[in-house]
Amino acid sequence: MAYTLEIGKKAPDFSLLATDGNTYGLKDFDQFKFLVVFFTCNHCPYVVGSDEITRCTVEKHAASGVKFVAINSNSEKTYEEDDYDHMVERMKKFKFPWIYLRDSSQK
């Protein structure tokens, strides 16, 4: 089911494991002026093809108090490369400037 949050509305809380081994919730980002949450994955050629543009966008806005958080909610049963271990490998390899969270329940 598609879900769109209106601009300015408070996002629902979450508790998700990140590739850095920490678990994050919405409150962990309170110190930032803006929080951008985007959904991504490891297997999609469109995502992979846009990674460096996303990196530039994140780096461009970091000094303005904008934090970017990526969530992967894809099923590893459908795409094995979208599992947590592959997420960790990908972050180590590319050193993306965002927090990469795993939502295995898709909630």
Side-chain angles (χ1 to χ4, degrees), residues 46-94:
Y46 297 105
V47 169
V48 172
S50 67
D51 281 340
E52 292 309 313
I53 293 169
T54 305
R55 179 193 304 274
C56 290
T57 302
V58 171
E59 291 171 348
K60 177 181 177 183
H61 295 287
S64 301
V66 181
K67 184 68 175 176
F68 286 73
V69 176
I71 298 177
N72 178 357
S73 60
N74 282 11
S75 172
E76 64 271 6
K77 293 176 184 171
T78 305
Y79 294 101
E80 183 181 333
E81 61 266 42
D82 281 335
D83 71 7
Y84 180 76
D85 290 338
H86 284 94
M87 290 171 58
V88 171
E89 281 179 30
R90 194 155 188 271
M91 286 299 279
K92 284 181 182 176
K93 180 177 180 181
F94 295 105

Side-chain angles (χ1 to χ4, degrees), residues 6-34:
E6 291 182 39
I7 293 174
K9 297 292 183 183
K10 185 157 176 76
D13 199 11
F14 53 83
S15 179
L16 299 173
L17 178 63
T19 55
D20 64 8
N22 295 315
T23 299
Y24 292 88
L26 196 56
K27 67 181 174 5
D28 294 307
F29 305 101
D30 284 348
Q31 72 270 29
F32 297 98
K33 188 174 180 179
F34 298 100

